[in-house]
Amino acid sequence: MPQTPLGPIEIEVIRNALTAAAAEMDVTVWRTSRSTIVRELLDYSTAVFDAEGNNLAQSARIPSHLNSMSHFLREILDRYVDPASWGPDDVVISNDPYCGGQHLPDICAFKPVFHEGRRIAFVGTLCHHIDVGGLVAGSYAAKAIEIFQEGLRIPPLKLIENGRRNEGVWAMIRQNIRKPDLLLGDLQSQIASLEVGAAALRRLAARYGAEGMIEAGRRILDMSEQAMRAAISRMPDGTYEFTDWLDDDGIDLDKPIRLHVALTIRGDSISVDLSGCSPQVQGPTNATLASSNAAVMFAVMCACDEPFAANAGCYRPIGTIAPEGSVVNARAPAPVVHRIAVTHRLLNAMFGALHQAVPDRIPAAYYGNSYVCTFQTVAADERREVLVEIEIGGTGAHPRKDGVNALSAGMHNNSNIPIEMIEAQAPLTITRYELLPGSGGAGEHRGGLGLLREWRVDSPRCFFTANMDRFVHAPYGLAGGAPARVGKLVLTRDGAESPVPPKSDNLPLRQGDRIRLETSGGGGFGDPARRLPGAVARDQALGYVSRAAGA
């Protein structure tokens, strides 16, 4: 029995305490991690789960992680690690997309939490690591045709057992990656974060007891389910369809990839049929079901008219139909490293369908792509550094306001790596970093601007890899708004410019070469002729558009 009676106030206290625990885990990773992709770009997430693996509380981090970690943990519990063998001092890790994960750079770590011999919860961390081996530095190969080329696959296994490191696993990881000190440092940061979260939950359990914690978790999930069902019931019944496109998979360059959504609202539930999406492709622009479900859940939560606690209870009223062997539910051994492009574009398609149901809430398309690029610099003494960059663009205009310039939106929630940090750690110079005028779609409300970022190579040699999209199919406008501008990738060598394919592996660069990336803005909303003269004048004064464009 609970040590303290659980009324509504106690449930709310516990819910907020669980969220605070996830936030404390978040800060721990931030303060102790080693690589720029984790410490500066903030590509990681932390969460708390109930004893069955359902997401109870989460930090304010990456939607594509947070809405998939529960799927991963439940797959591990159901298929790979006997829950009875998982002790309080064990940590299980995996990065395998075909064991419930998303792509190989994302290593998930989970730890159970016990009180008086009873498992009451799990805590989990997920970090995008700087390199896990494979064809290219950064492990984001654009030309991979099977997952075995993408890096080291770690099945669900105990990295720590009974409080002792599994040294064989640590050695195996070290031997297969380009920057072992950074990865293993970030992995140790994850483990420290797990213990911080576990300690917070044990303190709660000392007050409320094991049964109280389990009951509270059950009621927290039920409350979010009820809130989600109430919000869905206020949306009009019907079936709403929308299609968006990815440019290609990096292999079949003349074959766009279809993301089609048929979304049916009926009462207090939603069914999302993805059967109209393209079959899985040769290249790495595929997604597992965990990835695609994350986009579906996030889209519906965004479309609701009231805020509520985000957890696994929100997922219960939403069903997803995604045939195995499709680009949104790939079958092994399909490569999946660029799964974020699929989920970004699936989210855009979801928003396009939801706009038909609740047009006053849904903005035009945001840039809908992670502009992932990596540099492996090679010094004269063969010393190598790896930089992974994930650039962003502009958000779509809203029915009531302009889009936001250069905002990390949609399925990720990254920061940028400061110029000073890059230049201090690698022989690279950022020669330009600025907003890109005219990149947002025109409309009564203007789409947000994309950005321009240019890197100069200062080492004798360098290998550049890009895995990007939105260079052919532009972010759409809504209600008469114009689409945004597509992206551009350019190499400048000896004063001459040449285009770089947005899906390129190990492009050799030399000292003095410059790579310039121009990203998409967001789509416009509403008829451009209805834009207020004052807003046009402000855009011109700020340099967001040319006078000709604003006329």
Side-chain angles (χ1 to χ4, degrees):
M1 294 295 292
Q3 295 180 4
T4 302
L6 297 183
I9 293 175
E10 287 75 21
I11 294 296
E12 191 66 7
V13 167
I14 293 173
R15 186 185 69 78
N16 280 279
L18 295 174
T19 302
E24 192 176 1
M25 294 168 65
D26 179 336
V27 172
T28 302
V29 174
W30 178 46
R31 293 290 192 186
T32 62
S33 53
R34 296 283 304 279
S35 71
T36 52
I37 195 169
V38 179
R39 188 187 69 244
E40 305 294 340
L41 204 140
L42 307 182
D43 200 340
Y44 69 91
S45 294
T46 58
V48 175
F49 308 85
D50 70 11
E52 281 71 52
N54 299 298
N55 184 342
L56 278 179
Q58 58 196 39
S59 57
R61 293 291 344 121
I62 313 293
S64 63
H65 295 168
L66 296 168
N67 289 333
S68 67
M69 289 173 71
S70 183
H71 179 104
F72 203 172
L73 178 54
R74 290 175 64 90
E75 283 281 297
I76 291 172
L77 292 170
D78 289 346
R79 298 172 53 195
Y80 298 103
V81 178
D82 180 4
S85 74
W86 202 337
D89 296 315
D90 296 348
V91 173
V92 169
I93 67 165
S94 179
N95 68 343
D96 195 332
Y98 295 108
C99 295
Q102 293 205 32
H103 69 170
L104 297 183
D106 288 350
I107 299 179
C108 236
F110 296 107
K111 178 184 177 71
V113 183
F114 287 78
H115 179 72
E116 296 180 347
R118 184 174 181 184
R119 190 176 75 232
I120 59 170
F122 287 90
V123 287
T125 62
L126 187 158
C127 285
H128 182 147
H129 288 267
I130 194 166
D131 183 86
V132 290
L135 288 172
V136 302
S139 310
Y140 228 94
K143 300 295 183 179
I145 58 171
E146 55 183 2
I147 195 170
F148 306 108
Q149 297 172 325
E150 295 188 316
L152 180 66
R153 288 175 74 185
I154 306 171
L157 52 77
K158 290 183 180 179
L159 184 70
I160 296 179
E161 188 168 12
N162 295 324
R164 298 175 63 87
R165 288 172 30 139
N166 185 333
E167 296 295 349
V169 174
W170 287 83
M172 180 268 297
I173 294 173
R174 173 178 285 278
Q175 195 77 357
N176 281 278
I177 58 180
R178 293 175 176 87
K179 301 297 290 185
D181 290 344
L182 293 180
L183 185 148
L184 297 177
D186 287 346
L187 197 55
Q188 289 172 324
S189 175
Q190 290 184 252
I191 293 166
S193 173
L194 294 178
E195 183 50 42
V196 166
L201 267 63
R202 288 193 293 264
R203 289 194 297 270
L204 271 178
R207 179 175 180 181
Y208 295 102
E211 188 60 41
M213 293 294 290
I214 291 170
E215 180 190 345
R218 193 162 47 236
R219 288 168 63 179
I220 288 167
L221 294 178
D222 288 346
M223 288 164 57
S224 288
E225 178 186 3
Q226 292 164 11
M228 175 65 93
R229 289 192 183 279
I232 293 172
S233 69
R234 293 190 289 271
M235 300 179 189
D237 284 2
T239 296
Y240 309 96
E241 300 189 37
F242 197 88
T243 301
D244 205 348
W245 298 87
L246 286 156
D247 296 346
D248 57 68
D249 70 340
I251 306 296
D252 295 322
L253 301 183
D254 58 350
K255 187 177 179 180
I257 302 169
R258 186 175 192 250
L259 278 302
H260 177 79
V261 168
L263 184 151
T264 300
I265 302 172
R266 184 173 293 112
D268 63 357
S269 64
I270 289 180
S271 174
V272 178
D273 190 348
L274 305 180
S275 301
C277 295
S278 290
Q280 68 185 55
V281 293
Q282 283 193 85
T285 312
N286 295 296
T288 62
L289 185 58
S291 299
S292 299
N293 260 333
V296 168
M297 303 304 171
F298 181 65
V300 177
M301 285 190 275
C302 287
C304 292
D305 57 358
E306 288 185 1
F308 43 79
N311 55 48
C314 303
Y315 311 156
R316 294 172 179 169
I318 307 167
T320 304
I321 301 167
E324 189 178 11
S326 66
V327 73
V328 292
N329 187 8
R331 183 185 294 115
V336 294
V337 73
H338 202 33
R339 93 310 179 197
I340 193 67
V342 177
T343 55
H344 275 304
R345 207 58 49 83
L346 179 57
L347 181 59
N348 279 156
M350 285 288 298
F351 282 162
L354 286 162
H355 169 74
Q356 299 167 43
V358 286
D360 59 323
R361 301 178 204 163
I362 304 298
Y366 71 100
Y367 54 93
N369 172 56
S370 291
Y371 296 88
V372 182
C373 58
T374 64
F375 296 82
Q376 180 172 229
T377 60
V378 185
D381 62 0
E382 292 297 317
R383 184 168 49 86
R384 300 181 179 222
E385 300 295 339
V386 176
L387 171 69
V388 179
E389 292 263 45
I390 303 178
E391 299 303 333
I392 59 170
T395 73
H398 191 269
R400 293 184 294 278
K401 59 184 178 182
D402 291 346
V404 182
N405 301 328
L407 177 73
S408 184
M411 294 310 296
H412 58 203
N413 183 28
N414 301 129
S415 182
N416 64 342
I417 303 176
I419 291 170
E420 298 83 356
M421 191 65 66
I422 291 171
E423 295 179 352
Q425 295 189 358
L428 295 164
T429 299
I430 308 299
T431 53
R432 296 178 67 184
Y433 189 31
E434 58 203 56
L435 294 177
L436 192 59
S439 53
E444 180 178 4
H445 302 294
R446 172 187 48 76
L449 302 185
L451 56 79
L452 181 154
R453 190 162 169 108
E454 185 176 72
W455 302 261
R456 187 187 69 213
V457 175
D458 298 331
S459 60
R461 291 188 294 145
C462 180
F463 297 96
F464 175 74
T465 291
N467 208 336
M468 307 176 183
D469 206 83
R470 281 294 196 210
F471 285 65
V472 177
H473 294 88
Y476 59 78
L478 286 176
R485 186 190 297 178
V486 296
K488 183 185 293 186
L489 189 63
V490 177
L491 166 65
T492 302
R493 172 175 289 171
D494 299 329
E497 291 189 350
S498 58
V500 175
K503 296 180 177 68
S504 300
D505 281 349
N506 286 323
L507 177 70
L509 303 177
R510 63 192 190 208
Q511 191 166 2
D513 286 352
R514 286 178 288 144
I515 293 285
R516 184 178 79 248
L517 170 64
E518 300 178 8
T519 71
S520 296
F525 195 101
D527 184 353
R530 293 174 56 88
R531 188 160 178 79
L532 296 176
V536 174
R538 181 175 180 274
D539 286 343
Q540 293 172 350
L542 293 172
Y544 291 167
V545 298
S546 67
R547 291 196 175 274

